Amino acid sequence: MSYDAVIVGTGPAGLSAALTLGRVRRATLLIDGGPGRNAPSDGVHNFLSRDGIAPGDLRKIALEQLTAYPSVEVRTGHAESATAVDGEFDIALADSDQVRGRRLLLATGVVDNLPAIPGLAERWGRSVVHCPYCHGWERRDLPLAVLALDEKGVQQAIQLRRFSPDVVLCLGTDFDLDTEQRQLLAARDVTVVDKPLTGVEGEGDSLQWLTFADGSRLERSALFVHGHVRQSSELPTKLGCRILDDGAVEINDLGQTSVPGVYAAGDMARRPTMPVAGAQVILAAAEGTVAAGAIDLELLFTQP
C-alpha cells in the first residue's frame, strides 16, 4: 500500500496531523499504537474548549472525527522499522505487513522513567503529577511536595508557591542543591527535606503521606515530579534523525527532522531554540498541524 503520508502515533500530534491531511484530501495512513503518555492523567488541561476532558475521551472524539475523511486510514499496530527508498519510506509493521509513504511523520511520544519509589508509579497522573501548568490549579491551596531529580525540580517548587503556601522540596538520590539554590528556595519559603524519600502512601490513587528513610512521615496532598524521559520508539534513531542532548529529536520550525522527508511532532521533538520539548496537549496538537501543512505543501511541488 502506498500513501502520501504515513503518521506513526495517535497522540494529539498524530491525530491533529491526520485531521489536517484528511481535510486536504491527502492519502494518509495513521498507525495507532494505543493510548499514549497522558493516559493515566485525571484530565487534559490548557486545551481551549476541552479543559478537564479525560485523555481517553479526547482521543475517542478525535478518532471518531477522522472517519469523516475517506482519505485517512487508521490502522491498529506498531511500526517496527522504516527505510528510505528512492525518496520515499517503506514502513514495516509488527503484523509483517509493509506500507510505503511519500512522507513520514513521527508522533510516537516519550515514556516517563519514574523513580523506583514504592507507591509513586501507582499514583502517576493522579496525585503524583509532573507539570504545574497542567495540574497546579487543581492542587491549589493544598500541602504540596516536589521530588527534585535535577535543577528543574527547584524551578517547579518556586512555581508552586503561587498555588500553595505550603511547599516542600525533597531531593532525589542523585541530586543535591548548591548554596545559591538553597538560598533561593529559602527566600521563597520552600522547605527542603534533606533525607531520602522511600514511599508514597494513600488510599487508592490519592496521596496522603510521604515516608522517609529515617521512618518519619510528612502529610501531603500531591507530589510533583519532573522525571526523565526516553523515546518510546526506536524509529528516530533507526532513521538517523539528529538527536539533541536531552534525547529529543531535533526539528526545525516546520517539524522537519535532519532526515529529508521525515517529520516529527509532539513531546518527542523540539527545536534547538526551545529549552524543553512541549509536553502540553495543545502544543502537541499545534505541532502536528504545522508539520501536516508542511508535508502537504512539500508534496504539492514534487512529482505526483
Side-chain angles (χ1 to χ4, degrees):
M1 294 292 294
S2 183
Y3 301 87
D4 289 327
V6 175
I7 303 169
V8 185
T10 50
L15 290 164
S16 184
L19 178 63
T20 299
L21 290 169
R23 290 182 58 80
V24 293
R25 309 186 83 172
R26 286 289 180 191
T28 302
L29 174 64
L30 178 62
I31 300 175
D32 180 3
R37 180 187 184 190
N38 70 344
S41 177
D42 55 8
V44 171
H45 298 287
N46 285 337
F47 200 122
L48 185 66
S49 82
R50 289 292 184 266
D51 191 39
I53 190 173
D57 291 343
L58 182 63
R59 170 182 156 83
K60 180 180 178 182
I61 291 169
L63 286 168
E64 287 176 348
Q65 291 184 342
L66 287 178
T67 62
Y69 302 97
S71 66
V72 177
E73 177 186 347
V74 181
R75 186 183 301 190
T76 300
H78 293 272
E80 296 291 324
S81 64
T83 307
V85 180
D86 298 327
E88 298 184 352
F89 300 92
D90 285 342
I91 298 97
L93 305 180
D95 61 5
S96 300
D97 198 2
Q98 183 168 291
V99 297
R100 174 166 289 197
R102 296 172 67 193
R103 295 296 180 268
L104 176 61
L105 173 57
L106 303 176
T108 46
V110 295
V111 176
D112 292 284
N113 290 327
L114 299 176
I117 296 173
L120 190 150
E122 294 87 336
R123 293 169 176 79
W124 184 242
R126 301 291 180 170
S127 54
V128 179
V129 291
H130 82 290
C131 173
Y133 293 103
C134 301
H135 303 286
W137 174 258
E138 284 69 34
R139 280 84 187 171
R140 64 192 183 280
D141 304 322
L142 298 173
L144 306 177
V146 175
L147 176 59
L149 305 178
D150 52 33
E151 62 278 358
K152 296 184 184 70
V154 177
Q155 176 182 314
Q156 277 199 334
I158 293 171
Q159 283 182 300
L160 288 169
R161 277 290 287 113
R162 110 183 57 139
F163 294 97
S164 170
D166 185 2
V167 178
V168 302
L169 180 76
C170 306
L171 296 177
T173 55
D174 297 323
F175 177 67
D176 199 2
L177 302 170
D178 59 30
T179 300
E180 183 178 352
Q181 289 170 328
R182 288 183 181 274
Q183 290 174 344
L184 179 60
L185 290 164
R188 302 299 181 94
D189 292 325
V190 175
T191 302
V192 177
V193 180
D194 281 301
K195 46 192 174 183
L197 179 65
T198 57
V200 178
E201 300 177 354
E203 184 176 348
D205 57 18
S206 66
L207 171 61
Q208 185 176 3
W209 297 101
L210 301 180
T211 59
F212 298 91
D214 63 358
S216 62
R217 297 202 303 172
L218 178 66
E219 190 171 5
R220 297 287 99 176
S221 294
L223 174 66
F224 284 75
V225 184
H226 192 289
H228 304 135
V229 299
R230 60 176 174 81
Q231 293 288 330
S232 66
S233 170
E234 296 181 356
L235 288 180
T237 52
K238 287 182 177 179
L239 286 161
C241 297
R242 187 177 298 122
I243 306 296
L244 297 170
D245 290 344
D246 62 351
V249 176
E250 180 180 330
I251 56 173
N252 66 12
D253 289 344
L254 299 178
Q256 297 167 321
T257 72
S258 60
V259 178
V262 178
Y263 291 72
D267 56 8
M268 64 173 290
R270 69 174 175 89
R271 305 187 300 278
T273 52
M274 291 292 290
V276 295
Q280 295 193 42
V281 171
I282 197 167
L283 294 179
E287 290 175 1
T289 299
V290 170
I295 288 170
D296 177 57
L297 291 176
E298 186 179 1
L299 290 175
L300 194 63
F301 295 101
T302 60
Q303 184 176 353

